[in-house]
Amino acid sequence: MSEQQPPNRRARLREQTTAEIKATALELMAAGGPDAIALRAIAREMGMTAGAVYSYFATRDDLVTTLIGDVYTAAVASAESARDAVSDADPGARIMAWALAMRGWALENPEGFRLVYGDPVPGYQAPEEGAGKEAELRACTGLLDLVAAAWPTAAALQSDSRRYEWTDFDPVLAAHAQADFPGLPPEALALTLRVWGRMHGLVALEIYGHLRALAHDPAAVYRDEMEDLVASLGLGAGAGAETETETE
Amino acid sequence: MSEQQPPNRRARLREQTTAEIKATALELMAAGGPDAIALRAIAREMGMTAGAVYSYFATRDDLVTTLIGDVYTAAVASAESARDAVSDADPGARIMAWALAMRGWALENPEGFRLVYGDPVPGYQAPEEGAGKEAELRACTGLLDLVAAAWPTAAALQSDSRRYEWTDFDPVLAAHAQADFPGLPPEALALTLRVWGRMHGLVALEIYGHLRALAHDPAAVYRDEMEDLVASLGLGAGAGAETETETE
DNA sequence: CCTTATATTGAACGCCGTGTAGTAATTTAA
DNA sequence: TTAAATTACTACACGGCGTTCAATATAAGG
């Protein structure tokens, strides 16, 4: 019970209660979907009144925004670590690792996926900036790293019918690309977004229940698709892809 | 005002009111998203009481299910007609037509897309069968037709690392494939689902606002991705792909 | 005409997010 | 230490939601 942090005891209690609110909200979400994130239910669960929550979050949407930032950040972090567990020498395997990590996270936290990539909650409007936006940018830069590593082999395989400019993209993302990968053309950024979409599509269909009724082993279909993606970048899947496929 | 149909005048009134409820629901949805589909709001708009709607739909979820069926069916029909407006002789262009029609529909009816492919409404659970399921199957068979037409050139480009059986897929879809395309292997069905996912991914990201902040011309990115898809099936985009790209 | 089925109303219940006034506790300043 | 200000919280109210139910009006069929 000895206080070690300089800040007030009050501030520590506040931080603790804030964390409990978020944790309770995530529990409710895991149990009943993003719609179950109700201030009254959270307060009830915590033995508080609904109004008390307003001392911590000005509105329910503020809480949801915070949760999106947390969940999204955790998802991206897990994808990053999965990717970095594979050697730089095998860019194809690194892409596979990222893709499988993202799908694995989505299957383990389907409600989190809905929260981040769907309509989180009735009437919610995502803010222009914040932790969620940062996590999204971090996801894109993570993918950009992968695409940049593949670019030497992928460039020749791209159709050159359409040209892009750096100004076609988000300034922050474009600046990051130019700074970290000098010589990389803006077309690589377009390819990054396409890769993102390709990784996202099957997972979104699966999480929202459109795939499970049609295919008994969505994991195999997804793996096939990702192998085709890696091949389309002129890379081999490498030896790192020898993992399970029938798992759920 | 002369009755021509044998059914009761009452039955006709019922049908008419049912249609008005659905139309009002779609208006509300277009204005405020799927969450705006509220029985009380519909009734208010129609000068009724909320309870009266229960004579037509046993529950709000029943209404939503009906709407999903209608909207999904309309979307698939528009994709089919766009596809069939292109000659059989150019399978690649037919695929492009389908993809662009689906994306166009999604951009014109973003709330409809959310209704069909997202969480339509708090706590909604999609039924196992019904018009929505039929529309989904129709979408898949429509895509299967496209993939089957591409199979002669696409087969050789597929990785043969993974084999599928017909029993890996929905029985109805598998039966349709075997009946309509004798000689087509089950791997083509897996490819169909992968194509579906690839067409869906970027659109889903765009509709839910993840792409607009990052790329100023999502249409160009999507078109690139679809051209790559067509090429990956061993097809050329053909002459039919010469349409606008900067449009919104 | 009379009985039966159906459409509709109005009120109620229990959820929800949100605001407000008042109260108790803690922090800060004097 | 005491007084003032900030903060956390409760209790209550408002309007909206889906849903149920008893009562009532209307049309259908015999």
Side-chain angles (χ1 to χ4, degrees):
Chain A
M1 297 300 177
S2 63
E3 306 98 9
Q4 298 181 348
Q5 280 97 348
N8 310 334
R9 170 174 158 243
R10 194 150 179 167
R12 281 182 296 110
L13 277 180
R14 178 182 179 80
E15 203 164 340
Q16 183 177 321
T17 306
T18 304
E20 189 181 349
I21 291 176
K22 296 202 285 184
T24 308
L26 289 177
E27 282 174 24
L28 289 172
M29 182 186 78
D35 309 312
I37 304 177
L39 294 190
R40 291 190 119 103
I42 294 170
R44 202 182 311 128
E45 205 83 6
M46 294 177 60
M48 290 199 313
T49 316
V53 183
Y54 283 84
S55 298
Y56 300 90
F57 297 95
T59 179
R60 190 204 48 163
D61 281 17
D62 279 21
L63 170 58
V64 170
T65 298
T66 303
L67 293 176
I68 289 177
D70 288 2
V71 170
Y72 208 164
T73 301
V76 174
S78 88
E80 283 172 350
S81 78
R83 174 199 61 186
D84 294 339
V86 177
S87 156
D88 283 1
D90 195 345
R94 280 167 67 87
I95 292 174
M96 282 296 289
W98 179 285
L100 294 181
M102 274 306 230
R103 177 172 177 275
W105 165 78
L107 288 183
E108 283 170 22
N109 313 293
E111 307 306 345
F113 183 90
R114 289 167 134 93
L115 184 73
V116 169
Y117 288 114
D119 297 309
V121 104
Y124 176 78
Q125 284 278 25
E128 286 300 319
E129 48 193 40
K133 202 73 208 161
E134 268 183 45
E136 184 132 302
L137 221 69
R138 193 169 148 194
C140 284
T141 58
L143 277 173
L144 175 63
D145 289 1
L146 293 168
V147 169
W151 191 250
T153 58
L157 300 172
Q158 301 307 307
S159 139
D160 47 19
S161 66
R162 204 165 338 266
R163 310 258 99 209
Y164 294 89
E165 306 292 335
W166 289 115
T167 55
D168 290 334
F169 304 97
D170 176 82
V172 178
L173 193 57
H176 176 84
Q178 290 172 278
D180 287 13
F181 307 102
L184 197 70
E187 281 75 20
L189 246 180
L191 179 58
T192 299
L193 297 178
R194 286 171 43 203
V195 167
W196 187 21
R198 202 165 169 186
M199 288 181 175
H200 179 77
L202 278 176
V203 176
L205 288 176
E206 183 175 0
I207 294 296
Y208 285 105
H210 299 277
L211 219 57
R212 286 203 118 68
L214 297 173
H216 299 148
D217 190 2
V221 177
Y222 188 72
R223 180 173 280 270
D224 271 4
E225 176 68 358
M226 290 304 103
E227 282 176 3
D228 193 66
L229 165 63
V230 168
S232 79
L233 299 174
L235 301 171
E242 303 304 326
T243 51
E244 83 301 348
T245 157
E246 294 282 339
T247 65
E248 178 96 349
Chain B
M1 302 300 176
S2 62
E3 307 100 9
Q4 297 180 347
Q5 280 96 349
N8 310 334
R9 171 176 156 240
R10 197 148 175 172
R12 281 181 296 109
L13 276 181
R14 180 182 178 81
E15 203 163 342
Q16 184 176 320
T17 306
T18 304
E20 189 181 349
I21 291 176
K22 296 203 286 183
T24 308
L26 288 176
E27 281 174 25
L28 289 172
M29 182 187 79
D35 308 311
I37 304 179
L39 294 190
R40 291 190 122 103
I42 295 170
R44 202 183 308 128
E45 204 85 5
M46 292 175 62
M48 290 199 311
T49 314
V53 184
Y54 282 82
S55 299
Y56 301 90
F57 297 94
T59 179
R60 189 204 49 164
D61 281 16
D62 278 21
L63 170 59
V64 170
T65 299
T66 304
L67 293 176
I68 290 176
D70 288 3
V71 170
Y72 208 164
T73 302
V76 174
S78 88
E80 285 172 350
S81 78
R83 174 199 62 185
D84 295 339
V86 177
S87 157
D88 283 0
D90 195 345
R94 280 166 67 87
I95 292 174
M96 281 297 288
W98 179 286
L100 294 180
M102 274 307 230
R103 177 172 177 273
W105 165 77
L107 287 183
E108 283 170 20
N109 311 294
E111 307 306 343
F113 182 91
R114 289 166 132 94
L115 184 72
V116 169
Y117 288 112
D119 296 309
V121 105
Y124 176 77
Q125 283 279 26
E128 285 300 319
E129 48 191 39
K133 203 72 208 163
E134 269 182 43
E136 185 132 300
L137 221 67
R138 193 169 149 193
C140 284
T141 59
L143 277 173
L144 176 62
D145 290 1
L146 294 168
V147 169
W151 190 251
T153 57
L157 301 173
Q158 301 308 307
S159 142
D160 48 17
S161 66
R162 205 167 334 268
R163 310 258 97 207
Y164 293 90
E165 306 293 334
W166 289 114
T167 53
D168 289 335
F169 304 98
D170 176 82
V172 178
L173 193 57
H176 176 84
Q178 289 173 278
D180 288 12
F181 307 102
L184 197 71
E187 280 76 19
L189 245 180
L191 179 57
T192 299
L193 297 178
R194 285 170 45 200
V195 167
W196 187 21
R198 202 165 168 186
M199 287 181 176
H200 179 78
L202 279 175
V203 176
L205 288 176
E206 182 175 1
I207 295 296
Y208 284 104
H210 299 277
L211 219 57
R212 287 205 117 68
L214 297 173
H216 299 148
D217 190 1
V221 177
Y222 188 72
R223 180 172 280 271
D224 272 3
E225 177 67 359
M226 290 303 104
E227 282 176 4
D228 193 64
L229 165 62
V230 168
S232 79
L233 298 174
L235 302 170
E242 303 304 329
T243 51
E244 82 300 347
T245 158
E246 294 281 342
T247 65
E248 179 100 349

